[in-house]
């Protein structure tokens, strides 16, 4: 049958092309997608790709492991293009908050991984108190997960992210934040942060915008069905 002959020809050509590629193509170039925190030269240096190495002699798992040692690198997906270029598709860790411990500072991402502050790449994120800035450990406590969930929802919500400046976890009150405006204490408690942030937005829009925030000391949003305020 003609189609069988055509199929065999295509298969044969593919095999010959693969043989040619393995015998003649060498890795000459490293390509990386655009990144926010990690420099190309950092990646190139730590990847340590020997110029002219054949693709089947290059251990891509080792390359991935080396590149993932860089502070802001979260995942690495390698791919060798037909022309021999090695392309690394990298996703980076993104600062979620700035840890404050005495005079020490460090960012932390949503997985609790601590990140150094890079010159000229500072991020506008809420301040987070009560945790060590040491890079040797990852934040994995239930308290941090509550703060993480709150901050991620605030960032998604948008309004909460722009109106909150600092956050801490209190064993009695749960997640406690300070507003950008006048440093009003905001109690968000535990869980159900989507509803509580919506309540904060509604309260701000309906009350703060008309009454002002100068005399407010505390806004209690721990309950999903009410907002309680304390004023001077």
């Amino acid at each position: 049958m003609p189609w069988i002959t055509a199929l065999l020809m295509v298969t044969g050509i593919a095999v010959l092309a693969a043989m040619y590629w393995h015998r003649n193509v060498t890795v000459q170039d490293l390509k990386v997608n655009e990144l926010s925190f990690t420099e190309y030269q950092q990646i190139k240096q730590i990847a340590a790709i020997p110029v002219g190495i054949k693709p089947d002699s290059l251990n891509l798992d080792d390359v991935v492991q080396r590149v993932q040692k860089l502070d802001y690198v979260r995942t690495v997906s390698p791919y060798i293009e037909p022309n021999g270029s090695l392309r690394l598709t990298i996703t980076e860790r993104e600062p979620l908050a700035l840890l404050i411990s005495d005079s020490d500072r460090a960012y932390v991402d949503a997985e609790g991984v601590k990140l150094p502050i890079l010159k000229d790449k500072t991020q506008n994120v809420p301040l987070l108190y009560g945790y060590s800035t040491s890079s040797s450990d990852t934040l994995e406590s239930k308290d941090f997960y509550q703060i993480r969930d709150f901050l991620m929802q605030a960032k998604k919500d948008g309004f909460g992210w722009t109106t909150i400046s600092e956050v801490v976890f209190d064993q009695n009150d749960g997640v406690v934040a300070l507003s950008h405006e006048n440093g009003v204490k905001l109690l968000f408690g535990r869980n159900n942060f989507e509803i509580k942030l919506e309540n904060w937005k509604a309260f701000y829009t309906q009350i703060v915008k008309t009454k002002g925030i100068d005399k407010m000391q505390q806004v209690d949003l721990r309950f999903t069905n009410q907002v309680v305020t304390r004023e001077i």
Side-chain angles (χ1 to χ4, degrees):
M1 298 182 181
W3 65 269
I4 295 179
T5 302
L7 179 61
L8 290 174
M9 289 180 63
V10 170
T11 302
I13 292 171
V15 171
L16 290 173
M19 291 175 61
Y20 174 85
W21 190 79
H22 282 289
R23 289 178 181 175
N24 296 280
V25 173
T26 59
V27 178
Q28 299 290 338
D29 186 28
L30 175 65
K31 297 181 180 178
V32 180
N33 55 298
E34 185 175 350
L35 300 171
S36 299
F37 304 103
T38 312
E39 300 294 338
Y40 174 82
Q41 288 301 324
Q42 289 178 283
I43 298 168
K44 184 176 181 179
Q45 182 176 358
I46 201 168
I49 308 298
V51 176
I53 189 173
K54 291 186 177 299
D56 55 1
S57 298
L58 181 61
N59 190 321
L60 293 179
D61 289 337
D62 287 349
V63 173
V64 169
Q65 290 177 17
R66 290 197 294 270
V67 174
Q68 283 183 324
K69 290 179 181 178
L70 293 171
D71 292 319
Y72 277 83
V73 172
R74 183 172 180 270
T75 65
V76 183
S77 298
Y79 170 70
I80 299 178
E81 298 179 339
N83 64 358
S85 295
L86 172 60
R87 178 176 293 278
L88 299 181
T89 301
I90 295 174
T91 59
E92 290 185 293
R93 298 187 179 279
E94 296 184 9
L96 185 65
L98 178 63
L99 299 176
I100 306 291
S101 179
D102 295 325
S103 61
D104 297 326
R105 305 284 188 273
Y107 291 124
V108 64
D109 77 347
E111 295 178 346
V113 175
K114 297 169 187 176
L115 305 165
I117 299 174
L118 304 178
K119 185 180 179 180
D120 300 327
K121 294 184 179 181
T122 55
Q123 300 294 294
N124 185 17
V125 294
L127 308 182
L128 174 56
Y129 294 89
Y131 298 92
S132 168
T133 59
S134 171
S135 61
S136 61
D137 62 317
T138 299
L139 300 182
E140 297 177 320
S141 67
K142 292 181 180 179
D143 296 354
F144 173 72
Y145 290 151
Q146 286 287 315
I147 289 177
R148 183 269 312 273
D149 292 347
F150 169 75
L151 289 176
M152 290 183 68
Q153 185 60 48
K155 192 172 184 178
K156 179 181 178 181
D157 169 77
F159 179 81
W161 190 254
T162 58
T163 54
I164 290 168
S165 64
E166 304 177 19
V167 64
V168 69
F169 188 88
D170 181 84
Q171 292 301 324
N172 294 319
D173 296 327
V175 175
V176 179
L178 291 184
S179 66
H180 267 301
E181 193 175 353
N182 269 43
V184 177
K185 189 176 183 180
L186 309 174
L187 309 183
F188 286 95
R190 295 171 170 82
N191 304 315
N192 299 311
F193 296 124
E194 181 177 1
I195 297 173
K196 294 172 182 178
L197 284 162
E198 283 295 327
N199 290 345
W200 163 236
K201 182 178 181 179
F203 175 81
Y204 189 95
T205 303
Q206 298 169 18
I207 305 299
V208 174
K209 281 294 186 181
T210 56
K211 188 177 180 180
I213 199 172
D214 295 346
K215 294 184 178 181
M216 291 187 184
Q217 289 185 323
Q218 177 177 292
V219 180
D220 191 343
L221 299 135
R222 289 176 295 174
F223 310 101
T224 57
N225 59 351
Q226 65 176 346
V227 177
V228 181
T229 63
R230 181 189 297 169
E231 301 183 17
I232 299 175

